[in-house]
Amino acid sequence: DFYKAAKAAGVKEIIAVTNDKGGVGKTTTAQNLATALMLKGFKVLIIDADSQLYASYCNGWEPKNETEKGQRTLFNAMSNPSALPVYKSGRGVYFTPSSKSMANIDPFLKQQLSPNTVLSAILNQPVDDHTDDQIGLAKDFFDYIIIDCPPSLGSVTINMMAAATGLVIPVQLEGFSVRGLGEVTAKFKDVQTSLNNNLKIRGFLLVMVDGRLNIAKGYRQGLEEAFTDLLFDTCIRRNVRIPESQDSDSDIFAYDEDSIGAKDYMAFTEEFLRKSPV
């Protein structure tokens, strides 16, 4: 399967950053993890699977690239299974842009013989390389592949989980976010059982944390009891520079490398690397 081929060729991990609730720092975590890994010297590809395109914009993508210039996106690759388009940001992160059409991809996936493993099949062929770096096979070239999943547990997220080696699940310490973890973990178990028995939960990452709030402390204690070995020690504290960086279509390190947000995401990345199963 793709997992074994990827491991044999050298890619360390394929991480799907997922949560079925929007606004919990999913894209922010995917982009800043990818950027931090790049800053540490790794070759990193981020695949934007969210029709909102936030990760694509952060890497310099513009809507006219698709609509006026005809440049390919993840939608083109998955709707008519073909090579994954890969571009390179000015920061040095490689990326596959999303498209607003990803919101309507389900009918195209259903036409495939294996609709839940389209991305896995695509990753087994040479990429559509829009760089000068002669990428070839993604699993040969990249150290890490980070996938920004949409805020749902539908067919696109299932495809991403089927191709991944691990999940990073951002969690905001609020009622709806915490209660929704049951659905995320249930979908993980379904995919692990039926499509990808190598899939692991790499960890739950607490984001937008305000330790002064008693309710946040209560939720954190509950998560620590429920997911003792799966909760990252590092948490991402609430910091105004993070939403400011998002508004500027930038990662937190480019926007303000000395901010609390940048320090937290770098600490998380270092913990992620220390706890790597590879």
Side-chain angles (χ1 to χ4, degrees):
D1 57 18
F2 177 74
Y3 177 89
K4 293 179 180 178
K7 299 288 276 190
V11 69
K12 295 176 175 61
E13 293 188 75
I14 303 163
I15 298 296
V17 181
T18 185
N19 194 311
D20 68 336
K21 184 180 183 296
V24 294
K26 178 182 56 58
T27 298
T28 302
T29 295
Q31 182 62 47
N32 287 320
L33 172 61
T35 303
L37 289 168
M38 180 274 297
L39 291 172
K40 286 190 168 294
F42 296 106
K43 291 179 180 176
V44 185
L45 170 66
I46 182 168
I47 298 175
D48 186 358
D50 190 341
S51 62
Q52 297 179 89
L53 282 80
Y54 293 150
S56 303
Y57 297 151
C58 191
N59 286 290
W61 183 257
E62 298 181 9
K64 67 180 181 181
N65 292 349
E66 177 185 11
T67 57
E68 298 176 18
K69 299 180 181 179
Q71 292 180 327
R72 298 179 69 247
T73 69
L74 180 64
F75 176 78
N76 300 117
M78 292 188 68
S79 61
N80 180 23
S82 53
L84 188 75
V86 175
Y87 304 82
K88 191 175 184 180
S89 76
R91 291 277 281 157
V93 174
Y94 298 83
F95 70 99
T96 294
S98 188
S99 166
K100 292 188 181 299
S101 297
M102 285 296 292
N104 302 307
I105 199 172
D106 281 10
F108 296 93
L109 295 177
K110 290 177 181 177
Q111 294 175 11
Q112 307 307 315
L113 291 176
S114 301
N116 291 326
T117 56
V118 172
L119 180 64
S120 300
I122 289 171
L123 286 173
N124 268 319
Q125 59 180 289
V127 305
D128 173 16
D129 190 354
H130 294 262
T131 77
D132 296 323
D133 298 335
Q134 300 180 330
I135 295 173
L137 290 171
K139 65 178 182 283
D140 291 339
F141 186 84
F142 295 108
D143 297 305
Y144 290 93
I145 298 175
I146 309 297
I147 306 173
D148 180 24
C149 296
S152 74
L153 297 174
S155 59
V156 174
T157 296
I158 292 172
N159 259 273
M160 304 303 125
M161 288 186 177
T165 61
L167 304 182
V168 167
I169 305 171
V171 183
Q172 191 175 357
L173 292 176
E174 295 181 356
F176 289 135
S177 179
V178 173
R179 288 197 291 270
L181 291 181
E183 296 180 12
V184 177
T185 54
K187 183 61 66 177
F188 154 72
K189 291 176 182 177
D190 287 344
V191 172
Q192 186 189 52
T193 300
S194 61
L195 295 171
N196 180 5
N197 57 18
N198 295 297
L199 183 65
K200 309 291 186 212
I201 293 179
R202 282 286 266 112
F204 297 89
L205 175 66
L206 302 184
V207 299
M208 293 179 268
V209 173
D210 187 342
R212 299 170 299 175
L213 301 178
N214 288 332
I215 190 170
K217 295 177 182 177
Y219 280 130
R220 179 165 189 162
Q221 182 178 352
L223 289 171
E224 289 173 345
E225 293 172 356
F227 304 108
T228 305
D229 298 325
L230 294 176
L231 203 64
F232 285 107
D233 296 327
T234 307
C235 65
I236 310 301
R237 290 167 286 180
R238 192 175 292 278
N239 176 235
V240 69
R241 306 301 271 173
I242 293 176
E244 287 177 355
S245 70
Q246 296 166 349
D247 289 341
S248 300
D249 292 333
S250 173
D251 63 80
I252 188 61
F253 306 103
Y255 186 77
D256 187 349
E257 63 180 356
D258 295 320
S259 66
I260 289 173
K263 292 175 181 177
D264 285 350
Y265 268 113
M266 186 57 75
F268 159 62
T269 302
E270 291 170 351
E271 181 182 358
F272 171 87
L273 289 170
R274 287 196 306 271
K275 295 181 176 179
S276 172
V278 180

